[in-house]
Amino acid sequence: SGESAAKADKDIAQAATLIEALSAKRRLDDFKSALAEAKKRGAGWRERIKDGLSRLPDHLRDLISRG
């Protein structure tokens, strides 16, 4: 529905803001650690994470993928 799409867009925007803030504070490793923990919760979680990450701006995906 349009309402769930709007919520998803809002969630992605909030995630982007969080990632940018953690990066600015040099705490991106905390985010990566939480992401790794979430991925351990199963295939459904991994699929939603993959979908969410694909919707982030390129520069944020690049930040997250850097080792």
Side-chain angles (χ1 to χ4, degrees):
S1 78
E3 188 173 307
S4 62
K7 182 183 179 327
D9 290 344
K10 183 182 90 126
D11 291 346
I12 295 298
Q14 287 175 333
T17 299
L18 175 63
I19 294 164
E20 288 172 343
L22 288 170
S23 178
K25 295 286 186 182
R26 298 177 192 221
R27 295 190 55 196
L28 202 52
D29 285 343
D30 292 343
F31 175 79
K32 290 179 183 181
S33 179
L35 192 60
E37 285 297 316
K39 287 179 179 180
K40 292 178 185 176
R41 293 180 181 225
W45 279 76
R46 286 189 296 276
E47 188 61 34
R48 288 186 293 276
I49 290 167
K50 181 181 171 186
D51 180 56
L53 291 175
S54 75
R55 296 180 61 200
L56 289 172
D58 290 342
H59 74 282
L60 294 180
R61 282 198 312 272
D62 290 344
L63 272 178
I64 293 166
S65 67
R66 283 190 212 142

